[in-house]
């Protein structure tokens, strides 16, 4: 049927599958015959089934702590900061663009979900960021 060559720890093996019926396989290894019984039957799938996990929704801004008025803007996905459109002290409104994040050759605009004042910009243009990394703080 099929011939295979293996090299394990500098030892060469020539394996020939002679026959395959149900769970019994007759094979020849370097001229010696063997019968191998498989514990489970191998089922052949005609078409592979691809299972895709549900997409994660981008994380919303998270409060630093409940008693604080600061809000953290987090990176929804890992990427590279292309440009920063705000600076410390800027007043922003809802849906104002804060920065542009390049991820997998796509530019993603990160916008404000809440009005406020920029209290800290924690990244620079060209910096690589990980998912959920703090980018900007609002007060």
């Amino acid at each position: 049927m099929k011939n295979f060559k293996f090299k394990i720890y500098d030892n060469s093996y020539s394996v020939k599958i002679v026959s395959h019926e149900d769970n019994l396989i007759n094979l020849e290894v370097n001229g010696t015959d063997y019968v191998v019984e498989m514990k489970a039957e191998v089922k052949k799938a005609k078409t592979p089934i691809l299972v895709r996990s549900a997409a994660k929704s981008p994380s919303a801004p998270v409060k630093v702590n409940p008693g604080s008025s600061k809000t953290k803007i987090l990176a929804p996905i890992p990427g590279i900061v292309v440009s920063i459109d705000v600076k410390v002290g800027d007043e922003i409104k809802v849906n104002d663009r804060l920065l542009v994040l390049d991820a997998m050759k796509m530019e993603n605009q990160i916008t404000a979900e809440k009005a406020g004042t920029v209290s800290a910009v924690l990244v620079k243009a060209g910096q690589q960021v990980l998912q959920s990394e703090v980018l900007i703080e609002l007060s």
Side-chain angles (χ1 to χ4, degrees):
M1 284 180 93
K2 291 189 178 185
N3 293 314
F4 300 94
K5 295 198 179 284
F6 298 98
K7 189 165 189 171
I8 303 171
Y9 297 113
D10 294 327
N11 295 323
S12 296
Y13 299 95
S14 176
V15 178
K16 179 180 178 184
I17 298 177
V18 179
S19 67
H20 177 219
E21 294 179 23
D22 297 325
N23 287 353
L24 290 178
I25 300 174
N26 292 319
L27 50 93
E28 185 179 299
V29 179
N30 292 345
T32 305
D33 292 328
Y34 294 95
V35 176
V36 178
E37 182 179 354
M38 295 176 51
K39 288 186 178 181
E41 184 177 331
V42 177
K43 294 182 182 179
K44 293 182 181 178
K46 291 182 180 178
T47 306
I49 298 172
L50 299 176
V51 179
R52 184 176 271 178
S53 60
K56 294 181 182 177
S57 59
S59 51
V62 178
K63 292 279 187 185
V64 175
N65 63 41
S68 175
S69 62
K70 291 194 178 208
T71 301
K72 292 181 181 180
I73 305 298
L74 306 176
I77 52 179
I80 298 174
V81 177
V82 175
S83 66
I84 301 172
D85 301 319
V86 295
K87 60 184 182 303
V88 176
D90 285 354
E91 293 288 328
I92 58 166
K93 296 177 277 192
V94 175
N95 292 329
D96 281 355
R97 185 169 84 175
L98 302 173
L99 58 88
V100 177
L101 185 66
D102 179 39
M104 298 188 333
K105 298 182 182 180
M106 290 179 54
E107 289 189 355
N108 301 283
Q109 296 185 16
I110 309 300
T111 58
E113 294 182 9
K114 173 182 164 183
T117 304
V118 177
S119 59
V121 177
L122 304 170
V123 293
K124 297 181 236 173
Q127 180 178 339
Q128 190 168 8
V129 295
L130 299 174
Q131 183 173 1
S132 300
E133 187 171 334
V134 180
L135 305 172
I136 296 174
E137 286 185 357
L138 303 176
S139 57

